[in-house]
Amino acid sequence: MRKHSLDRWLLTAVLVVLLSSSSSFAAKKDAKKKKKSNKEVTYDGTSLIIDGKRELLYSGSIHYPRSTPEMWPSIIKRAKQGGLNTIQTYTFWNVHEPEQGQFNFSGRADLVKFIKLIEKNGMYVTLRLGPFIQAEWTHGGLPYWLREVPGIFFRTDNKPFKEHTERYVRMILDKMKEEKLFASQGGPIILGQIENEYSAVQRAYKQDGLNYIKWASKLVDSMNLGIPWVMCKQNDAPDPMINVCNGRHCGDTFPGPNKENKPSLWTENWTTQFRVFGDPPTQRSVEDIAFSVARFFSKNGSHVNYYMYHGGTNFGRTSAHYVTTRYYDDAPLDEYGLEKEPKFGHLKQLHNALNLCKKPLLWGQPKTEKPGKDTEIRYYEQPGTKSCAAFLANNNTEAAETIKFRGRDYVIAPRSISILPDCKTVVYNTAQIVSQHTARNFMKSKKANKKSDFKVFTETLPSKLDGDSYIPVELYGLTKDKTDYGWYTTSFKVNKNDLPKKGVKTSVRVASLGHALHVWLNGEYLGSGHGSHEEKSFVFQKPVTIKAGENHLIMLGVLTGFPDSGSYMEHRYTGPRGVSILGLTSGTLDLTENSKWGNKVGMEGERLGVHTEEGSKKVKWQKFNGKAPGLTWYQTYFDAPESLNAAAIRMNGMGKGLIWVNGEGVGRYWQSFLSPLGQPTQIEYHIPRSFLKPKKNHLVIFEEEPNVKPELIDFVIVNRDTVCSYIGENYTPSVRHWTRKQDQVQAITDNVSLTATLKCSGTKKIAAVEFASFGNPIGVCGNFTLGTCNAPISKQVVEKHCLGKAHCEIPVNKSTFEQDKKDSCKNVVKMLAVQVKCGRGKKN
């Protein structure tokens, strides 16, 4: 009996433990569910209101198809570290529905995964639906098949377009709803955008344009998703849409919301200029960006989005016409996802400074003073409290100005704004950069650059192709976005009597609407021509020898992407339009409408898929002997570059074409289109690590031009291990010294002083001090030189503070750098320039 009682007691005890642990687990699970609470998103004339709280929103554009899923976590994490609380992205219709009714949401198209990663990082999302997005993306994001829908006109009050748009919009939004990604469901999406910069084309469609905008507004509003909706560059946006600003200086150019109950939001603050092939380098300074943001927030702005925060890569054939494969590389996070300093750090400090002003900005009353011609004071005070924040602006671009505010004098640098989160203490100036600088290095890989033995396969020129067209077929319609290439052939007869006399030259003339062209006559290559992003049309004309009898003309029309902007995009045309033979005794022979044209789409290598391992086996490759004609495929193998750093291929020695690694499209390259500086616009092409295997990576290149030198191609490892500082002794100390407690701005540290801060990435440490000067050095990070004034012990001081450390701070003042209290150049405001090299020692 006792044994049975004991067993019964043990069984009861076990059941009690199991039940209690089960209920505990259920309670924890319920608690987790409760954490994802529904958030109401509303707004008023001051800001968005999320879950009952006003918010200042710092957002950055990051486009999921322009990087890889393996890169997303680090990019999003770095964006948050940069002070962002929101990520903005377009949705790409031609990525998600490349063929009508066939959908893609995997790999780089995995929108849900991307948004959930943002949510995991505790950030909000703005979703820009399009359907048209521009974005320097081919066809502005619209799928090609849409062009072939009978009776369609894009982006207007057109029944077929509206039907397809509604189906697409509902499909995307339903997917977001199913995944509970809207804030009203506890998700991260707090804001949506329908259409994109429509005012640029609205006048072309007259009343139909206005009707379309009203329809688009009603479409998303009727879905009751619990988030506000915006329209950018659309000052007449119908209620309840919020009209918002795009541009560089919305603090000055934006007329404001079209209703008093709508907040001032900035959806695109362009961090640089996108680049097209043939462009010289372009940049937008971080000082200008910071000035524009501070000005916007000082004038009742509560949301800014940096377009782009990370530009990424236009992989494959996804860029719009003439746009480079590298996209917005000068953004705070560069193409490889690395922090571009000082743009990253200076904006991060700006966000910190604005956060110190949060309470007065969101709850205070605005006031403005104009103490001088070029100076302005904007400040916010909350009645009945000590809460106050001020923005002191100097619009003089050449000289500093002194502003008197509340009994104190403030010296404001040329064209800058100083931020005072308590109306007393300057914590940030838009022109004074105290964050570090970096220079990007492309280091030649030892592992990947072992001798590459290229093999080649050359395309065969088509003979006379079948065709019944009496004019050259339009190139967009011919290729249907399946390839960049379309063939045109025709034949023409010339009587012996029509041949020119000795000394008179005949020539072929082709007038093309774009984008590029290669021409052959009777099997002889005549050359190529191309347009540009600004002037797509061009004329190709070359002298030729015409023979009596039948002559065969072959042209290869080449695309560099579809257009991404403008009205009536469905009727945009390109390719060769007028073809004639000049110099015959009988006069000009017009072949445009007097000959039958045959056509063929794409390359034979594309049809066979030779860019893949399997497809490459379908053709006979020859060993490259140092010379090859145009339209040649090049194939080799290489090992992955050492380290885990980003990798790229430098297309030295090449002309124009496409790159694949292990079957993945790296993008278009165009080395022969030189900028006014005599250099290619882009030399390095990003190969994401996820494209690579440890060994034997398959590289395939399709090259359009003859006599290129693939042996000059090399693989590089990318880093930003050159770290610098460039700080004036009169600069405002870093905003990191300050915090806000209730209505008071207080110092976090005992000693608020100006320091130059240098930090290596990851586990690297400062291995060398390459330059140091306290005086008047000149140059930029990676290229500093001494000026006429220099403290002799500058390098010694920096080495003492920094060598062997992952992070160091150097006091920026005369006492640190003066030897025997001697100032070698009095009456000069000193600058400290430092350049160090980060690296991994043997131990780390």
Side-chain angles (χ1 to χ4, degrees):
M1 283 292 289
R2 283 182 183 177
K3 186 178 183 300
H4 288 303
S5 297
L6 183 60
D7 288 346
R8 197 178 293 116
W9 181 85
L10 285 170
L11 183 61
T12 305
V14 169
L15 285 169
V16 168
V17 170
L18 285 170
L19 285 169
S20 64
S21 63
S22 175
S23 60
S24 171
F25 176 78
K28 283 179 183 175
K29 202 171 180 183
D30 288 341
K32 275 188 178 179
K33 280 184 180 176
K34 284 177 185 175
K35 278 183 183 176
K36 191 171 177 177
S37 58
N38 298 348
K39 296 183 285 287
E40 183 186 29
V41 184
T42 58
Y43 58 83
D44 61 14
T46 300
S47 72
L48 292 183
I49 301 168
I50 303 169
D51 207 18
K53 296 177 183 176
R54 295 189 188 280
E55 294 284 358
L56 295 181
L57 296 171
Y58 316 110
S59 173
S61 289
I62 299 171
H63 295 160
Y64 52 99
R66 283 177 159 142
S67 55
T68 64
E70 292 79 8
M71 293 173 67
W72 294 344
S74 65
I75 291 170
I76 294 165
K77 184 181 178 182
R78 282 178 168 153
K80 186 174 183 178
Q81 289 169 346
L84 301 192
N85 53 19
T86 308
I87 300 296
Q88 180 199 87
T89 186
Y90 284 120
T91 64
F92 297 70
W93 191 352
N94 56 11
V95 168
H96 295 304
E97 194 179 7
E99 303 291 338
Q100 187 172 359
Q102 296 177 22
F103 301 102
N104 175 24
F105 286 92
S106 61
R108 293 197 301 273
D110 196 339
L111 174 60
V112 170
K113 181 177 181 177
F114 181 70
I115 292 177
K116 286 185 176 180
L117 280 170
I118 298 168
E119 181 180 31
K120 188 177 177 181
N121 279 270
M123 302 172 79
Y124 300 124
V125 173
T126 298
L127 200 62
R128 306 175 87 187
L129 282 176
F132 166 82
I133 62 172
Q134 189 166 348
E136 293 71 59
W137 189 263
T138 190
H139 217 210
L142 298 173
Y144 173 81
W145 57 261
L146 208 60
R147 288 172 72 102
E148 299 193 340
V149 172
I152 199 164
F153 287 88
F154 294 171
R155 305 178 71 201
T156 186
D157 191 9
N158 170 265
K159 186 178 178 183
F161 183 73
K162 290 195 299 183
E163 284 177 351
H164 286 286
T165 294
E166 180 169 356
R167 180 184 54 78
Y168 166 71
V169 166
R170 288 189 180 277
M171 183 266 294
I172 292 289
L173 294 178
D174 284 347
K175 184 174 279 290
M176 299 300 101
K177 195 172 179 181
E178 285 168 18
E179 298 288 342
K180 300 191 183 308
L181 294 176
F182 291 106
S184 56
Q185 302 171 292
I189 301 174
I190 58 166
L191 196 64
Q193 178 182 304
I194 187 70
E195 254 297 333
N196 192 59
E197 297 186 345
Y198 190 73
S199 62
V201 299
Q202 186 171 336
R203 289 179 67 184
Y205 299 109
K206 301 179 181 176
Q207 185 60 40
D208 283 345
L210 183 60
N211 294 343
Y212 169 67
I213 277 296
K214 288 179 179 177
W215 171 83
S217 168
K218 286 178 183 174
L219 170 64
V220 291
D221 188 49
S222 68
M223 295 184 72
N224 299 314
L225 296 168
I227 59 167
W229 288 87
V230 303
M231 286 183 169
C232 63
K233 277 193 175 180
Q234 193 69 37
N235 293 332
D236 62 349
D239 288 337
M241 302 292 109
I242 304 169
N243 62 301
V244 295
C245 186
N246 285 5
R248 285 189 179 87
H249 298 106
C250 285
D252 294 308
T253 60
F254 184 43
N258 59 23
K259 290 285 176 66
E260 287 185 1
N261 68 327
K262 297 177 183 179
S264 289
L265 310 179
W266 190 352
T267 40
E268 287 189 21
N269 183 357
W270 304 321
T271 55
T272 185
Q273 175 65 38
F274 73 88
R275 296 180 70 188
V276 297
F277 287 112
D279 266 355
T282 53
Q283 290 184 332
R284 184 184 177 197
S285 74
V286 69
E287 296 95 325
D288 185 54
I289 299 171
F291 180 92
S292 70
V293 174
R295 185 153 182 80
F296 186 70
F297 277 74
S298 77
K299 297 175 78 171
N300 204 40
S302 60
H303 167 285
V304 64
N305 177 75
Y306 301 104
Y307 189 97
M308 299 289 295
Y309 198 77
H310 166 70
T313 307
N314 292 314
F315 295 112
R317 298 170 39 259
T318 57
S319 59
H321 52 193
Y322 296 98
V323 173
T324 56
T325 297
R326 173 180 287 163
Y327 188 62
Y328 268 81
D329 184 44
D330 194 41
L333 297 178
D334 69 14
E335 179 184 16
Y336 306 95
L338 304 176
E339 294 163 15
K340 181 177 175 60
E341 299 282 18
K343 196 166 276 190
F344 178 87
H346 195 49
L347 293 179
K348 175 181 180 176
Q349 294 192 0
L350 170 62
H351 306 146
N352 290 341
L354 290 171
N355 282 336
L356 291 175
C357 305
K358 188 173 181 179
K359 191 174 179 183
L361 282 177
L362 293 176
W363 298 100
Q365 298 294 321
K367 296 178 183 178
T368 306
E369 296 176 14
K370 196 87 171 61
K373 176 189 166 189
D374 294 316
T375 55
E376 186 178 57
I377 302 167
R378 291 181 176 271
Y379 62 104
Y380 291 76
E381 286 186 295
Q382 191 176 356
T385 72
K386 294 180 181 179
S387 183
C388 183
F391 298 79
L392 311 185
N394 174 15
N395 293 310
N396 187 328
T397 58
E398 296 179 354
E401 297 277 357
T402 299
I403 296 178
K404 195 174 192 68
F405 179 58
R406 297 196 169 184
R408 296 187 185 186
D409 287 340
Y410 297 89
V411 179
I412 313 299
R415 197 176 181 272
S416 72
I417 296 174
S418 284
I419 298 176
L420 293 65
D422 58 357
C423 286
K424 293 184 294 185
T425 310
V426 176
V427 301
Y428 182 88
N429 178 272
T430 59
Q432 296 178 346
I433 299 172
V434 296
S435 58
Q436 70 180 21
H437 301 231
T438 59
R440 188 166 61 191
N441 305 302
F442 294 97
M443 311 298 292
K444 197 166 179 178
S445 167
K446 293 177 182 176
K447 200 174 173 184
N449 287 308
K450 290 173 183 175
K451 190 178 178 184
S452 296
D453 294 319
F454 277 98
K455 292 182 177 179
V456 295
F457 160 67
T458 301
E459 293 280 337
T460 302
L461 290 179
S463 54
K464 190 174 180 182
L465 297 168
D466 291 334
D468 55 5
S469 174
Y470 281 90
I471 58 171
V473 176
E474 193 279 315
L475 191 53
Y476 291 136
L478 176 63
T479 61
K480 303 185 188 301
D481 201 22
K482 303 294 184 191
T483 173
D484 283 350
Y485 304 106
W487 291 99
Y488 300 81
T489 66
T490 193
S491 297
F492 59 94
K493 287 184 179 178
V494 174
N495 293 325
K496 191 174 181 180
N497 295 336
D498 291 334
L499 293 176
K501 294 178 181 177
K502 233 179 181 181
V504 178
K505 291 272 188 181
T506 52
S507 58
V508 170
R509 187 178 192 273
V510 182
S512 175
L513 298 177
H515 302 156
L517 182 75
H518 296 270
V519 183
W520 295 259
L521 182 67
N522 296 327
E524 181 187 351
Y525 181 59
L526 301 183
S528 64
H530 63 81
S532 67
H533 186 264
E534 286 69 35
E535 187 57 62
K536 290 145 192 82
S537 298
F538 64 94
V539 174
F540 171 90
Q541 187 166 327
K542 284 288 173 73
V544 293
T545 300
I546 303 292
K547 64 181 183 180
E550 192 169 55
N551 293 266
H552 301 284
L553 181 69
I554 301 171
M555 300 187 298
L556 179 67
V558 183
L559 295 175
T560 60
F562 274 57
D564 67 332
S565 61
S567 55
Y568 297 102
M569 278 176 57
E570 72 287 342
H571 288 98
R572 205 74 58 81
Y573 302 130
T574 197
R577 302 304 287 167
V579 185
S580 53
I581 306 296
L582 310 177
L584 299 174
T585 57
S586 56
T588 298
L589 176 61
D590 185 355
L591 302 179
T592 309
E593 296 184 13
N594 296 314
S595 299
K596 274 193 177 183
W597 290 91
N599 297 106
K600 180 184 173 185
V601 178
M603 296 291 146
E604 184 65 9
E606 288 179 297
R607 186 184 70 80
L608 297 173
V610 300
H611 63 282
T612 65
E613 283 274 16
E614 201 57 40
S616 68
K617 297 170 185 173
K618 297 177 182 177
V619 299
K620 189 174 181 180
W621 296 86
Q622 304 288 334
K623 188 173 181 180
F624 177 59
N625 62 10
K627 197 171 182 181
L631 307 188
T632 292
W633 297 82
Y634 294 80
Q635 172 185 254
T636 192
Y637 290 87
F638 67 97
D639 291 342
E642 58 274 22
S643 89
L644 296 176
N645 286 2
I649 182 171
R650 282 196 292 216
M651 298 301 288
N652 301 317
M654 302 303 282
K656 180 181 182 300
L658 293 153
I659 311 164
W660 293 265
V661 170
N662 295 327
E664 296 280 0
V666 170
R668 298 183 179 101
Y669 67 91
W670 200 346
Q671 308 309 99
S672 58
F673 192 171
L674 303 181
S675 79
L677 301 178
Q679 295 291 324
T681 302
Q682 181 176 346
I683 297 171
E684 305 88 10
Y685 292 80
H686 181 205
I687 306 174
R689 284 284 173 176
S690 59
F691 285 13
L692 296 172
K693 304 179 293 185
K695 290 185 177 295
K696 207 177 179 187
N697 293 281
H698 187 216
L699 171 67
V700 176
I701 299 164
F702 177 66
E703 172 59 61
E704 296 175 25
E705 299 179 5
N707 304 323
V708 295
K709 298 180 178 179
E711 66 273 15
L712 299 181
I713 290 171
D714 60 12
F715 297 92
V716 291
I717 300 164
V718 190
N719 68 49
R720 286 190 176 271
D721 289 344
T722 301
V723 179
C724 306
S725 186
Y726 190 65
I727 295 180
E729 62 177 330
N730 59 347
Y731 281 14
T732 300
S734 172
V735 67
R736 64 185 171 81
H737 291 292
W738 302 96
T739 188
R740 189 178 195 97
K741 289 187 178 177
Q742 296 178 340
D743 290 335
Q744 300 294 317
V745 173
Q746 299 177 2
I748 296 171
T749 55
D750 294 331
N751 181 25
V752 178
S753 60
L754 181 63
T755 59
T757 302
L758 302 171
K759 185 180 180 183
C760 296
S761 63
T763 59
K764 295 176 184 177
K765 292 183 179 180
I766 295 169
V769 176
E770 297 180 326
F771 182 90
S773 174
F774 184 72
N776 61 352
I778 55 176
V780 295
C781 188
N783 191 24
F784 284 123
T785 57
L786 292 174
T788 57
C789 170
N790 175 55
I793 62 170
S794 297
K795 191 171 183 182
Q796 183 183 331
V797 169
V798 175
E799 286 178 339
K800 181 182 174 182
H801 280 84
C802 298
L803 266 183
K805 298 177 182 177
H807 171 274
C808 69
E809 293 185 15
I810 310 153
V812 183
N813 54 57
K814 288 186 177 73
S815 61
T816 303
F817 292 92
E818 283 176 359
Q819 200 167 20
D820 302 325
K821 297 186 178 179
K822 289 180 181 177
D823 188 345
S824 55
C825 37
K826 293 178 181 178
N827 304 320
V828 173
V829 177
K830 310 294 191 301
M831 299 292 295
L832 174 63
V834 176
Q835 180 174 309
V836 303
K837 179 66 72 177
C838 296
R840 288 190 176 91
K842 291 179 181 178
K843 291 183 180 179
N844 61 336

